[in-house]
Amino acid sequence: MGAMRDGREWRIGTAADVDWINGHTTAGLSITTAVPPVFDAYATTWRRDDIPADVYERALVGHLVAHTPEQPWWLGYLDTGAHDTVFPRAPRVSLYWDWQYVLVEAGPEQALTWRSGHMRGDGSLPDLFFPADRSWLVSALWDDTWTCVGGPDRLIDTLQRDPLATARRVTPDQDALPPGLTRE
């Protein structure tokens, strides 16, 4: 099944495309609440107040692109009822605590441009995204002001070194809350 945008049809994802996430995360405060414990390394990343949203998002996506062979990405937009899901009539997939997402096969350019604002304020990034080969996963849960990342060590190291990405490495059992931020 597909949906039209930008003059072309985009593939809409199904439960089978996220079955590797569903049921493989754990309830709690650790990073594995958002990202399954299948990666070599994990980090939380957040936008500092002195960095514009588009600059932060381009830095994050740029590092993901640099560490990923060319391939489609899955973009997931959480349906809160009040925020842009990009394809409002598309079927949903259920993730985490039966939260409904629109899942679309696209790429980094669409991740940076499709959405016109989301629940975390400025910016356009999807709430969840990963490449077709599942080599990393980026997920921001409904009520978090930060983003969780799981992937290869070299990707997490790169994010940590970039002051625009504001990333902090965490272990799978460590609280994902970044320093200086609070839970809603």
Side-chain angles (χ1 to χ4, degrees):
M1 167 173 254
M4 294 298 295
R5 185 174 179 117
D6 301 332
R8 68 170 275 200
E9 186 172 16
W10 300 90
R11 183 173 160 222
I12 301 298
T14 66
D17 298 306
V18 292
D19 65 354
W20 68 282
I21 302 169
N22 245 345
H24 300 282
T25 56
T26 58
L29 303 177
S30 73
I31 198 150
T32 58
T33 302
V35 179
V38 297
F39 295 103
D40 293 335
Y42 300 86
T44 54
T45 178
W46 64 99
R47 182 179 67 85
R48 293 189 335 248
D49 291 339
D50 63 332
I51 298 174
D54 65 320
V55 172
Y56 163 76
E57 290 182 348
R58 288 198 177 281
L60 176 61
V61 169
H63 292 303
L64 295 168
V65 167
H67 287 86
T68 310
E70 190 169 325
Q71 61 187 291
W73 289 13
W74 285 106
L75 312 180
Y77 299 94
L78 177 60
D79 186 358
T80 65
H83 301 96
D84 184 13
T85 60
V86 179
F87 294 95
R89 291 186 267 298
R92 294 349 189 209
V93 297
S94 180
L95 279 169
Y96 304 113
W97 298 271
D98 292 324
W99 296 346
Q100 299 299 299
Y101 286 77
V102 173
L103 187 67
V104 184
E105 187 180 52
E109 179 182 338
Q110 292 78 30
L112 287 166
T113 60
W114 271 356
R115 182 180 255 168
S116 59
H118 53 67
M119 62 195 155
R120 285 176 302 285
D122 297 333
S124 60
L125 286 182
D127 302 295
L128 172 128
F129 52 109
F130 58 92
D133 70 4
R134 303 177 184 169
S135 57
W136 49 260
L137 171 67
V138 175
S139 180
L141 297 180
W142 189 327
D143 53 354
D144 292 343
T145 57
W146 62 90
T147 301
C148 297
V149 182
D153 273 314
R154 67 187 191 286
L155 169 62
I156 301 305
D157 288 344
T158 300
L159 292 173
Q160 279 189 282
R161 286 191 306 269
D162 184 349
L164 297 175
T166 320
R168 174 184 71 117
R169 183 182 285 263
V170 295
T171 61
D173 59 342
Q174 188 175 359
D175 190 335
L177 179 67
L181 298 183
T182 57
R183 288 194 167 81
E184 298 292 317

